[in-house]
């Protein structure tokens, strides 16, 4: 999305919410939203502010050594040279403004939003405006996917679905040779390259008790050998290796053998039930015209699991925002790690991934979902049954 479009979207939101302005601050990358909206041409080394009024032209406050990085951005620059001129120029920008939205969250309630340090908030408020959170504004202006990005996400998801099932087949083919978690992770990484996918890290390939560590990653040394009777969890995420593409992120589980133990099947069914209940809640509330916040969706899945006796074993949020990074800056489905009050709005994508982590094994089922104008739907492959791995 272009800088101009994000600014126009931000102004639309500001007018609708009766907020006079958005003030985006960054120093050395502490706030990735500045780079996304202002789109500098290189590394910026000094504090910078982008002032976006609800009505009127935006202005950029930048040090003179960095001014050239923003020369082609189409936004008028106000250049400062020292601390006094920075404060004077900032006071001029904020003169008469009663309220500004910033990447701030009261009491750091939403860490993904809280990008501005307390001192900068104090500085801005000393000049008159009340600082309010930009949580929903930032999401609306910067985290919604274009049609092209949605298509890239779906293509990546389809590739992940193929690769995860190929990985299960690979385990079956290599059982007699003592296949390890790390070997399968390497197989997945190789397949990413062949499919034109890229990722910053991962994947997770885990067996038995390792599946109870939600962020376990196998190492070359000490990786478990996968054998008959083992439970296997694979979590993989990637995006197309092209500018602007969006991640997909899925988790599937399998059993090595012809018939999973009853306890594994029971837990698997509960996790899938919670996943589907969360997506169903989003669909039902959208059909009823009701606005939904991220914490409410988490509650649906968490209650489903708790009512079946496993509430203490669901130890992370229900889902996370997805965008250019696998964990995006938009709404999370979370009333556990945080109380996410951001709205689930059309144009955003996120994971739904409940889990139950017992000492001897863990189950997680992760799908991606997209909130379209006509309602939410699964935007990635969806596991319905335990995959059975047999030797070949």
């Amino acid at each position: 999305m272009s800088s101009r479009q994000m600014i126009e979207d931000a102004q639309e939101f500001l007018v609708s919410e009766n907020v006079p302005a958005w003030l985006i601050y960054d120093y050395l990358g502490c706030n990735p939203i500045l780079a996304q909206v202002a789109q500098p041409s290189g590394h910026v080394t000094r504090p910078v502010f982008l002032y976006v009024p609800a009505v009127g032209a935006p202005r950029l406050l930048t040090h003179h050594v960095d001014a050239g990085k923003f020369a082609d951005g189409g936004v008028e620059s106000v250049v400062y040279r020292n601390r006094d001129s920075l404060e004077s120029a900032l006071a001029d920008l904020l003169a008469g403004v009663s309220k500004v939205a910033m990447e701030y969250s009261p009491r750091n309630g939403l860490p993904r939003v809280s990008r501005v340090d307390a001192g900068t908030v104090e500085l801005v408020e000393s000049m008159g405006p009340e600082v309010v959170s930009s949580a929903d504004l930032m999401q609306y202006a910067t985290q919604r996917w274009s049609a092209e990005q949605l298509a890239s996400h779906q293509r990546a998801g389809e590739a992940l679905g193929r690769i995860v099932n190929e990985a299960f087949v690979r385990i079956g083919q290599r059982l007699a040779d003592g296949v390890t978690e790390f070997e399968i992770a390497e197989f997945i990484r190789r397949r990413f390259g062949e499919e034109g996918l890229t990722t910053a890290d991962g994947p997770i390939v885990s067996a038995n008790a390792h599946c109870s560590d939600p962020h376990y990653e196998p190492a070359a040394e000490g990786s478990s050998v996968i054998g008959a009777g083992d439970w296997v969890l694979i979590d993989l995420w990637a995006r197309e290796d092209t500018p602007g593409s969006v991640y997909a992120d899925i988790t599937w589980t399998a059993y090595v053998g012809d018939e999973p133990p009853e306890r594994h099947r029971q837990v698997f069914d509960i996790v899938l039930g919670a996943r589907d209940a969360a997506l169903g809640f989003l669909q039902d509330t959208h059909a009823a015209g009701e606005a939904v916040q991220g914490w409410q969706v988490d509650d649906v899945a968490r209650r489903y699991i708790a009512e079946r006796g496993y509430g203490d074993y669901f130890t992370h949020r229900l889902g996370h925002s997805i965008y250019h990074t696998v964990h995006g800056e938009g709404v999370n489905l979370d009333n556990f790690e945080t109380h996410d009050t951001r709205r689930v709005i059309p144009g955003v994508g996120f994971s739904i991934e409940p889990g139950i982590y017992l000492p001897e094994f863990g189950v997680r089922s992760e799908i991606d979902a997209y909130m379209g104008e006509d309602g939410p739907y699964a935007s990635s492959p969806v596991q319905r049954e335990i995959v059975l791995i047999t030797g070949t």
Side-chain angles (χ1 to χ4, degrees):
M1 188 184 300
S2 70
S3 175
R4 177 185 295 274
Q5 185 61 59
M6 283 185 276
I7 289 172
E8 289 178 357
D9 288 348
Q11 292 180 312
E12 175 187 345
F13 187 94
L14 290 166
V15 169
S16 70
E17 298 291 319
N18 197 31
V19 177
W22 185 15
L23 185 64
I24 311 174
Y25 165 77
D26 182 51
Y27 177 57
L28 296 179
C30 68
N31 184 4
I33 300 302
L34 188 284
Q36 190 172 342
V37 178
Q39 299 178 1
S41 61
H43 182 52
V44 177
T45 62
R46 308 302 200 271
V48 58
F49 291 85
L50 177 61
Y51 176 75
V52 181
V55 178
R59 280 168 287 175
L60 187 82
L61 177 56
T62 181
H63 193 274
H64 80 99
V65 302
D66 292 323
K69 302 295 193 304
F70 300 98
D72 299 326
V75 174
E76 176 188 351
S77 289
V78 178
V79 177
Y80 72 90
R81 293 179 179 273
N82 57 26
R83 181 67 186 189
D84 288 343
S85 61
L86 165 62
E87 293 194 14
S88 176
L90 184 60
D92 288 344
L93 283 177
L94 298 175
V97 178
S98 61
K99 184 186 301 182
V100 292
M102 298 187 74
E103 280 67 71
Y104 150 81
S105 177
R107 299 181 62 199
N108 194 30
L110 297 175
R112 200 79 189 193
V113 175
S114 285
R115 301 290 190 169
V116 181
D117 64 280
T120 300
V121 172
E122 291 170 356
L123 172 65
V124 170
E125 290 192 328
S126 75
M127 296 175 177
E130 173 193 3
V131 173
V132 298
S133 178
S134 68
D136 280 310
L137 161 63
M138 178 265 285
Q139 174 178 238
Y140 184 83
T142 71
Q143 298 300 299
R144 293 179 299 156
W145 303 353
S146 68
E148 293 78 11
Q149 289 172 323
L150 172 59
S152 78
H153 161 79
Q154 290 174 319
R155 289 191 299 268
E158 290 167 1
L160 293 187
R162 291 193 301 271
I163 292 169
V164 74
N165 281 288
E166 290 171 3
F168 291 137
V169 171
R170 180 75 170 181
I171 292 171
Q173 293 171 337
R174 298 276 296 138
L175 279 176
D177 302 318
V179 63
T180 67
E181 298 163 325
F182 181 76
E183 179 184 332
I184 298 304
E186 289 283 88
F187 170 81
I188 291 170
R189 284 187 279 266
R190 183 168 67 251
R191 289 291 293 119
F192 281 176
E194 293 167 353
E195 292 278 354
L197 302 177
T198 186
T199 186
D201 49 20
I204 294 168
V205 179
S206 54
N208 303 321
H210 285 164
C211 303
S212 298
D213 177 354
H215 278 183
Y216 171 81
E217 289 192 43
E221 298 297 326
S223 180
S224 290
V225 174
I226 301 172
D230 284 348
W231 182 257
V232 180
L233 181 151
I234 297 179
D235 183 347
L236 63 171
W237 54 94
R239 62 176 177 84
E240 293 183 329
D241 194 8
T242 55
S245 62
V246 169
Y247 268 85
D249 184 8
I250 64 174
T251 305
W252 283 45
T253 49
Y255 176 74
V256 184
D258 296 326
E259 182 62 35
E262 181 57 32
R263 184 86 183 282
H264 290 64
R265 186 176 294 281
Q266 177 195 53
V267 172
F268 176 86
D269 288 343
I270 292 171
V271 169
L272 263 63
R275 180 198 72 191
D276 294 345
L279 182 57
F281 171 75
L282 283 166
Q283 292 167 335
D284 291 346
T285 50
H286 183 274
E290 300 173 9
V292 169
Q293 298 177 352
W295 69 269
Q296 294 173 286
V297 193
D298 181 285
D299 266 8
V300 170
R302 200 165 300 279
R303 183 167 56 249
Y304 186 99
I305 291 174
E307 288 173 349
R308 288 153 180 82
Y310 289 95
D312 290 342
Y313 301 98
F314 181 14
T315 56
H316 55 70
R317 65 192 172 201
L318 175 63
H320 59 81
S321 168
I322 297 174
Y323 201 38
H324 300 307
T325 54
V326 67
H327 289 188
E329 305 291 339
V331 60
N332 293 323
L333 309 184
D334 189 4
N335 196 29
F336 184 72
E337 300 172 39
T338 70
H339 180 70
D340 202 321
T341 57
R342 289 174 289 180
R343 297 183 289 260
V344 183
I345 60 173
V348 300
F350 44 88
S351 70
I352 300 176
E353 49 180 305
I356 294 175
Y357 305 99
L358 304 175
E360 63 273 26
F361 73 99
V363 179
R364 181 168 63 255
S365 181
E366 179 180 15
I367 62 171
D368 300 333
Y370 177 73
M371 177 60 84
E373 293 292 343
D374 297 327
Y377 58 88
S379 55
S380 68
V382 179
Q383 183 174 12
R384 299 292 182 189
E385 301 289 342
I386 298 169
V387 175
L388 300 179
I389 300 173
T390 57
T392 56

mmCIF file of all heavy atoms in Angstrom, residues 78-105:
data_model
loop_
_atom_site.group_PDB
_atom_site.id
_atom_site.type_symbol
_atom_site.label_atom_id
_atom_site.label_comp_id
_atom_site.label_asym_id
_atom_site.label_seq_id
_atom_site.Cartn_x
_atom_site.Cartn_y
_atom_site.Cartn_z
ATOM 1 N N VAL A 78 9.668 19.432 7.746
ATOM 2 C CA VAL A 78 10.144 20.489 8.634
ATOM 3 C C VAL A 78 11.452 19.977 9.226
ATOM 4 O O VAL A 78 11.477 18.922 9.873
ATOM 5 C CB VAL A 78 9.128 20.784 9.747
ATOM 6 C CG1 VAL A 78 9.678 21.846 10.683
ATOM 7 C CG2 VAL A 78 7.786 21.182 9.166
ATOM 8 N N VAL A 79 12.549 20.689 8.977
ATOM 9 C CA VAL A 79 13.873 20.199 9.345
ATOM 10 C C VAL A 79 14.353 20.870 10.628
ATOM 11 O O VAL A 79 14.293 22.095 10.759
ATOM 12 C CB VAL A 79 14.871 20.452 8.199
ATOM 13 C CG1 VAL A 79 16.280 20.019 8.602
ATOM 14 C CG2 VAL A 79 14.427 19.711 6.937
ATOM 15 N N TYR A 80 14.820 20.062 11.571
ATOM 16 C CA TYR A 80 15.424 20.602 12.790
ATOM 17 C C TYR A 80 16.905 20.234 12.804
ATOM 18 O O TYR A 80 17.346 19.322 12.104
ATOM 19 C CB TYR A 80 14.703 20.087 14.037
ATOM 20 C CG TYR A 80 14.944 18.617 14.360
ATOM 21 C CD1 TYR A 80 15.996 18.230 15.185
ATOM 22 C CD2 TYR A 80 14.117 17.615 13.847
ATOM 23 C CE1 TYR A 80 16.226 16.896 15.503
ATOM 24 C CE2 TYR A 80 14.331 16.271 14.158
ATOM 25 C CZ TYR A 80 15.387 15.920 14.983
ATOM 26 O OH TYR A 80 15.616 14.604 15.280
ATOM 27 N N ARG A 81 17.676 20.962 13.658
ATOM 28 C CA ARG A 81 19.112 20.722 13.726
ATOM 29 C C ARG A 81 19.583 20.346 15.125
ATOM 30 O O ARG A 81 20.525 19.583 15.278
ATOM 31 C CB ARG A 81 19.877 21.957 13.235
ATOM 32 C CG ARG A 81 19.676 22.229 11.755
ATOM 33 C CD ARG A 81 20.434 23.472 11.303
ATOM 34 N NE ARG A 81 20.233 23.702 9.873
ATOM 35 C CZ ARG A 81 20.966 23.154 8.911
ATOM 36 N NH1 ARG A 81 21.962 22.342 9.242
ATOM 37 N NH2 ARG A 81 20.729 23.403 7.647
ATOM 38 N N ASN A 82 18.955 20.883 16.152
ATOM 39 C CA ASN A 82 19.366 20.571 17.519
ATOM 40 C C ASN A 82 18.128 20.356 18.381
ATOM 41 O O ASN A 82 17.001 20.440 17.892
ATOM 42 C CB ASN A 82 20.263 21.672 18.091
ATOM 43 C CG ASN A 82 19.582 23.032 18.063
ATOM 44 O OD1 ASN A 82 18.347 23.119 18.091
ATOM 45 N ND2 ASN A 82 20.382 24.095 18.019
ATOM 46 N N ARG A 83 18.334 20.084 19.665
ATOM 47 C CA ARG A 83 17.201 19.752 20.534
ATOM 48 C C ARG A 83 16.220 20.917 20.658
ATOM 49 O O ARG A 83 15.004 20.719 20.637
ATOM 50 C CB ARG A 83 17.708 19.350 21.920
ATOM 51 C CG ARG A 83 16.608 18.958 22.906
ATOM 52 C CD ARG A 83 15.923 17.675 22.502
ATOM 53 N NE ARG A 83 14.786 17.392 23.374
ATOM 54 C CZ ARG A 83 14.108 16.250 23.357
ATOM 55 N NH1 ARG A 83 14.455 15.286 22.511
ATOM 56 N NH2 ARG A 83 13.083 16.068 24.165
ATOM 57 N N ASP A 84 16.743 22.122 20.777
ATOM 58 C CA ASP A 84 15.859 23.275 20.908
ATOM 59 C C ASP A 84 14.985 23.446 19.675
ATOM 60 O O ASP A 84 13.781 23.703 19.792
ATOM 61 C CB ASP A 84 16.677 24.551 21.142
ATOM 62 C CG ASP A 84 17.290 24.601 22.537
ATOM 63 O OD1 ASP A 84 16.830 23.826 23.408
ATOM 64 O OD2 ASP A 84 18.218 25.400 22.747
ATOM 65 N N SER A 85 15.566 23.291 18.505
ATOM 66 C CA SER A 85 14.773 23.472 17.289
ATOM 67 C C SER A 85 13.797 22.314 17.096
ATOM 68 O O SER A 85 12.711 22.494 16.529
ATOM 69 C CB SER A 85 15.679 23.633 16.062
ATOM 70 O OG SER A 85 16.488 22.493 15.851
ATOM 71 N N LEU A 86 14.146 21.108 17.585
ATOM 72 C CA LEU A 86 13.197 19.999 17.541
ATOM 73 C C LEU A 86 11.968 20.318 18.381
ATOM 74 O O LEU A 86 10.822 20.190 17.911
ATOM 75 C CB LEU A 86 13.868 18.722 18.067
ATOM 76 C CG LEU A 86 12.935 17.553 18.417
ATOM 77 C CD1 LEU A 86 12.175 17.067 17.179
ATOM 78 C CD2 LEU A 86 13.708 16.411 19.061
ATOM 79 N N GLU A 87 12.179 20.754 19.635
ATOM 80 C CA GLU A 87 11.047 21.020 20.506
ATOM 81 C C GLU A 87 10.227 22.202 19.996
ATOM 82 O O GLU A 87 8.987 22.197 20.086
ATOM 83 C CB GLU A 87 11.534 21.266 21.931
ATOM 84 C CG GLU A 87 12.139 20.027 22.576
ATOM 85 C CD GLU A 87 12.306 20.154 24.080
ATOM 86 O OE1 GLU A 87 11.715 21.098 24.663
ATOM 87 O OE2 GLU A 87 12.998 19.309 24.671
ATOM 88 N N SER A 88 10.886 23.207 19.478
ATOM 89 C CA SER A 88 10.161 24.357 18.948
ATOM 90 C C SER A 88 9.289 23.974 17.755
ATOM 91 O O SER A 88 8.119 24.370 17.671
ATOM 92 C CB SER A 88 11.162 25.453 18.537
ATOM 93 O OG SER A 88 10.499 26.533 17.929
ATOM 94 N N ALA A 89 9.854 23.193 16.827
ATOM 95 C CA ALA A 89 9.095 22.774 15.647
ATOM 96 C C ALA A 89 7.949 21.850 16.027
ATOM 97 O O ALA A 89 6.845 21.931 15.456
ATOM 98 C CB ALA A 89 10.023 22.086 14.651
ATOM 99 N N LEU A 90 8.183 20.967 17.001
ATOM 100 C CA LEU A 90 7.115 20.068 17.439
ATOM 101 C C LEU A 90 5.992 20.860 18.096
ATOM 102 O O LEU A 90 4.801 20.584 17.860
ATOM 103 C CB LEU A 90 7.682 19.032 18.409
ATOM 104 C CG LEU A 90 6.708 17.957 18.895
ATOM 105 C CD1 LEU A 90 6.142 17.139 17.733
ATOM 106 C CD2 LEU A 90 7.400 17.036 19.909
ATOM 107 N N ALA A 91 6.342 21.852 18.905
ATOM 108 C CA ALA A 91 5.318 22.693 19.528
ATOM 109 C C ALA A 91 4.497 23.433 18.479
ATOM 110 O O ALA A 91 3.272 23.590 18.628
ATOM 111 C CB ALA A 91 5.980 23.681 20.487
ATOM 112 N N ASP A 92 5.142 23.883 17.407
ATOM 113 C CA ASP A 92 4.406 24.546 16.325
ATOM 114 C C ASP A 92 3.423 23.585 15.657
ATOM 115 O O ASP A 92 2.287 23.957 15.342
ATOM 116 C CB ASP A 92 5.382 25.097 15.284
ATOM 117 C CG ASP A 92 6.163 26.311 15.778
ATOM 118 O OD1 ASP A 92 5.738 26.913 16.798
ATOM 119 O OD2 ASP A 92 7.193 26.636 15.164
ATOM 120 N N LEU A 93 3.860 22.333 15.425
ATOM 121 C CA LEU A 93 2.974 21.347 14.803
ATOM 122 C C LEU A 93 1.744 21.090 15.668
ATOM 123 O O LEU A 93 0.636 20.906 15.150
ATOM 124 C CB LEU A 93 3.716 20.019 14.593
ATOM 125 C CG LEU A 93 4.699 19.900 13.439
ATOM 126 C CD1 LEU A 93 5.360 18.520 13.465
ATOM 127 C CD2 LEU A 93 4.013 20.116 12.103
ATOM 128 N N LEU A 94 1.936 21.081 16.977
ATOM 129 C CA LEU A 94 0.879 20.682 17.894
ATOM 130 C C LEU A 94 0.075 21.856 18.434
ATOM 131 O O LEU A 94 -0.848 21.662 19.233
ATOM 132 C CB LEU A 94 1.480 19.907 19.068
ATOM 133 C CG LEU A 94 2.197 18.600 18.693
ATOM 134 C CD1 LEU A 94 2.855 17.983 19.931
ATOM 135 C CD2 LEU A 94 1.239 17.605 18.053
ATOM 136 N N ALA A 95 0.393 23.062 18.012
ATOM 137 C CA ALA A 95 -0.291 24.249 18.538
ATOM 138 C C ALA A 95 -1.793 24.160 18.302
ATOM 139 O O ALA A 95 -2.248 23.943 17.171
ATOM 140 C CB ALA A 95 0.274 25.508 17.883
ATOM 141 N N GLY A 96 -2.559 24.307 19.365
ATOM 142 C CA GLY A 96 -4.010 24.310 19.245
ATOM 143 C C GLY A 96 -4.639 22.940 19.108
ATOM 144 O O GLY A 96 -5.867 22.834 18.971
ATOM 145 N N VAL A 97 -3.856 21.880 19.137
ATOM 146 C CA VAL A 97 -4.375 20.511 18.990
ATOM 147 C C VAL A 97 -4.727 19.966 20.374
ATOM 148 O O VAL A 97 -3.876 19.927 21.268
ATOM 149 C CB VAL A 97 -3.353 19.597 18.300
ATOM 150 C CG1 VAL A 97 -3.876 18.170 18.208
ATOM 151 C CG2 VAL A 97 -3.018 20.124 16.913
ATOM 152 N N SER A 98 -5.958 19.521 20.558
ATOM 153 C CA SER A 98 -6.403 19.057 21.872
ATOM 154 C C SER A 98 -6.034 17.606 22.153
ATOM 155 O O SER A 98 -5.922 17.196 23.311
ATOM 156 C CB SER A 98 -7.917 19.212 21.988
ATOM 157 O OG SER A 98 -8.568 18.419 20.991
ATOM 158 N N LYS A 99 -5.846 16.823 21.095
ATOM 159 C CA LYS A 99 -5.664 15.387 21.272
ATOM 160 C C LYS A 99 -4.885 14.830 20.088
ATOM 161 O O LYS A 99 -5.157 15.202 18.940
ATOM 162 C CB LYS A 99 -7.033 14.707 21.367
ATOM 163 C CG LYS A 99 -7.024 13.229 21.647
ATOM 164 C CD LYS A 99 -8.439 12.647 21.576
ATOM 165 C CE LYS A 99 -9.389 13.308 22.555
ATOM 166 N NZ LYS A 99 -10.739 12.689 22.501
ATOM 167 N N VAL A 100 -3.928 13.934 20.354
ATOM 168 C CA VAL A 100 -3.222 13.238 19.276
ATOM 169 C C VAL A 100 -3.168 11.753 19.590
ATOM 170 O O VAL A 100 -2.992 11.352 20.753
ATOM 171 C CB VAL A 100 -1.783 13.764 19.039
ATOM 172 C CG1 VAL A 100 -1.787 15.172 18.490
ATOM 173 C CG2 VAL A 100 -0.941 13.672 20.294
ATOM 174 N N ALA A 101 -3.329 10.951 18.572
ATOM 175 C CA ALA A 101 -3.150 9.503 18.700
ATOM 176 C C ALA A 101 -1.686 9.168 18.469
ATOM 177 O O ALA A 101 -1.063 9.690 17.539
ATOM 178 C CB ALA A 101 -4.030 8.767 17.702
ATOM 179 N N MET A 102 -1.144 8.303 19.313
ATOM 180 C CA MET A 102 0.232 7.836 19.147
ATOM 181 C C MET A 102 0.272 6.335 19.405
ATOM 182 O O MET A 102 -0.680 5.753 19.932
ATOM 183 C CB MET A 102 1.189 8.570 20.102
ATOM 184 C CG MET A 102 1.275 10.062 19.888
ATOM 185 S SD MET A 102 2.575 10.859 20.903
ATOM 186 C CE MET A 102 4.067 10.336 20.034
ATOM 187 N N GLU A 103 1.393 5.706 19.039
ATOM 188 C CA GLU A 103 1.576 4.276 19.290
ATOM 189 C C GLU A 103 1.888 4.093 20.773
ATOM 190 O O GLU A 103 3.016 3.870 21.199
ATOM 191 C CB GLU A 103 2.670 3.699 18.388
ATOM 192 C CG GLU A 103 2.203 3.414 16.993
ATOM 193 C CD GLU A 103 1.856 4.691 16.233
ATOM 194 O OE1 GLU A 103 2.770 5.449 15.890
ATOM 195 O OE2 GLU A 103 0.649 4.932 15.999
ATOM 196 N N TYR A 104 0.830 4.203 21.537
ATOM 197 C CA TYR A 104 0.863 4.181 22.998
ATOM 198 C C TYR A 104 -0.321 3.350 23.465
ATOM 199 O O TYR A 104 -1.398 3.371 22.860
ATOM 200 C CB TYR A 104 0.754 5.621 23.520
ATOM 201 C CG TYR A 104 0.086 5.776 24.862
ATOM 202 C CD1 TYR A 104 0.798 5.552 26.047
ATOM 203 C CD2 TYR A 104 -1.244 6.170 24.952
ATOM 204 C CE1 TYR A 104 0.177 5.691 27.278
ATOM 205 C CE2 TYR A 104 -1.869 6.318 26.180
ATOM 206 C CZ TYR A 104 -1.161 6.079 27.346
ATOM 207 O OH TYR A 104 -1.773 6.215 28.555
ATOM 208 N N SER A 105 -0.126 2.571 24.528
ATOM 209 C CA SER A 105 -1.198 1.779 25.114
ATOM 210 C C SER A 105 -1.162 1.975 26.616
ATOM 211 O O SER A 105 -0.118 1.777 27.239
ATOM 212 C CB SER A 105 -1.020 0.290 24.774
ATOM 213 O OG SER A 105 -2.015 -0.493 25.389
#
